[in-house]
Amino acid sequence: MSLSPGEGVALAEIESAGAAEKKPELAGRSPGQLVWSRLRRDRTALVSGVLLVVFVLLALAAPLVQRLYGASPGEVFGDLLDSTGMPLGYAGGVSGDHWFGLEPGVGRDIFIRMVYGIRTSLLIALGAALITTTIGVVLGILAGYLGGKVDAVISWVTDVALAMPFLIFALAVVPTFSLRFYGPRDAVPTWFAVATLIAVFAAFGWTSTARLVRGQVVSLREREFVEAARASGAGLGHMLFRQLLPNIWAPILVSFSLLVPSYVTSEAALSFLNVGLPESVPSFGRMIYRSIGYLETDPAYVFFPGITIFLIVLAFNLFGDALRDALDPKSSR
């Protein structure tokens, strides 16, 4: 059956409308939405992210956990130790009241001390990483954009900081700095010890971020948008923090996520060497140090702190790697 010209045009319009309805609409997505979409598809990022959220919540809610658990980090349960100082019961005194057992020789609850140990480690690591990243970004962006003598001076200071051995410097400076303000018999306040460790970490940790930012800025300072902003009379602050910084936030964020686990292990190492935090402050390094003498008689004492700090560092490293892949525009994930 033949159609009239009018009916043919109407049928063509109906068919084109139906095809348009079946064709999926293409919606634009921002860089943040693309990163979030890639992270949600990455199982490693999801698992490590959940672990990090759990650890952060435990650290923030440590006083609430203490109230619900019914034990404080400094409370001693001497009646649950035998005559040799070993916890009574199975696996170092593990029970419904003491989930991870008790410390041999002291009788303090391991679980609640680990909760406060997470709080201590994350406080120092996050604080040091934030200060370190800030210093590194400011110095790196100045060196990369201004160049010349400014770049030479900042690069020289960076080389000097990289040449200094961190561990030897920390072992020498931290105790000396504490004795400068407090006597050998005085108790060093917790806030002072934490601030000292953060300052030592920041004094050495900014170099990698500064070099990373400097390299990124050197590759961007001759781009067209920078030349246009400079030609329009933009000031130094506008050029650095409104034009350049928004274009290098991705590597900075990845660098920050990888600095935190390195500071967690550094704090544990210094505590293991009895440097930095007072003995009364819960710390993974000090707990592992005390557990060395009980490896054969009470292996649970070293297992719980060791596996916890391992999971913290592993979760941060895995999430940092996943974040780096998600922020890479060339990534196929």
Side-chain angles (χ1 to χ4, degrees):
M1 183 178 64
S2 61
L3 298 176
S4 64
E7 292 176 342
V9 172
L11 182 59
E13 291 178 352
I14 293 174
E15 291 177 351
S16 61
E21 291 178 358
K22 295 180 181 179
K23 184 179 180 180
E25 296 183 359
L26 297 178
R29 291 187 292 179
S30 66
Q33 290 174 331
L34 289 173
V35 171
W36 175 242
S37 176
R38 291 172 178 171
L39 287 176
R40 285 190 302 175
R41 295 196 304 266
D42 191 342
R43 293 183 179 180
T44 302
L46 291 178
V47 174
S48 58
V50 169
L51 278 177
L52 292 180
V53 170
V54 171
F55 287 130
V56 171
L57 290 179
L58 280 176
L60 294 176
L64 178 61
V65 173
Q66 172 184 332
R67 183 178 303 179
L68 297 175
Y69 186 68
S72 63
E75 187 175 357
V76 176
F77 299 90
D79 57 328
L80 299 178
L81 303 179
D82 60 17
S83 59
T84 63
M86 297 302 296
L88 298 172
Y90 176 75
V94 173
S95 63
D97 296 328
H98 306 286
W99 297 350
F100 292 169
L102 302 174
E103 287 185 325
V106 182
R108 294 176 298 196
D109 186 271
I110 294 178
F111 171 76
I112 196 64
R113 289 189 66 81
M114 285 178 49
V115 171
Y116 275 88
I118 296 172
R119 184 186 182 96
T120 302
S121 296
L122 291 184
L123 173 64
I124 294 175
L126 291 173
L130 183 61
I131 296 175
T132 295
T133 302
T134 302
I135 296 174
V137 167
V138 172
L139 293 180
I141 201 171
L142 284 173
Y145 180 73
L146 296 178
K149 293 183 178 180
V150 175
D151 186 16
V153 171
I154 294 177
S155 298
W156 180 81
V157 174
T158 303
D159 293 336
V160 171
L162 288 172
M164 297 179 65
F166 165 74
L167 185 59
I168 297 177
F169 183 87
L171 292 175
V173 169
V174 173
T176 305
F177 197 66
S178 300
L179 291 175
R180 175 64 179 82
F181 294 92
Y182 300 93
R185 298 183 179 180
D186 297 335
V188 178
T190 301
W191 69 266
F192 183 85
V194 170
T196 301
L197 287 180
I198 291 177
V200 171
F201 290 154
F204 285 87
W206 59 269
T207 53
S208 59
T209 303
R211 283 192 165 185
L212 173 66
V213 171
R214 178 191 175 277
Q216 295 289 325
V217 172
V218 168
S219 64
L220 290 176
R221 66 184 180 186
E222 303 301 331
R223 294 285 185 87
E224 291 80 2
F225 70 94
V226 176
E227 294 290 343
R230 189 184 296 118
S232 64
L236 179 62
H238 179 87
M239 294 296 302
L240 297 181
F241 301 107
R242 299 294 297 274
Q243 297 295 330
L244 293 172
L245 186 59
N247 289 279
I248 59 174
W249 66 271
I252 293 173
L253 188 59
V254 173
S255 176
F256 177 86
S257 68
L258 297 178
L259 279 174
V260 176
S262 67
Y263 289 143
V264 170
T265 55
S266 297
E267 184 275 324
L270 292 178
S271 297
F272 182 87
L273 298 173
N274 292 324
V275 175
L277 298 177
E279 198 279 334
S280 59
V281 179
S283 171
F284 288 108
R286 197 174 295 275
M287 293 177 71
I288 295 175
Y289 171 77
R290 293 192 72 255
S291 68
I292 292 178
Y294 302 97
L295 288 177
E296 295 183 0
T297 55
D298 188 6
Y301 185 23
V302 69
F303 172 77
F304 290 117
I307 195 66
T308 301
I309 193 172
F310 169 77
L311 289 176
I312 292 175
V313 174
L314 180 64
F316 269 109
N317 285 329
L318 291 179
F319 189 79
D321 291 339
L323 183 62
R324 179 183 56 198
D325 293 336
L327 291 171
D328 186 1
K330 299 180 181 179
S331 175
S332 60
R333 303 176 68 172

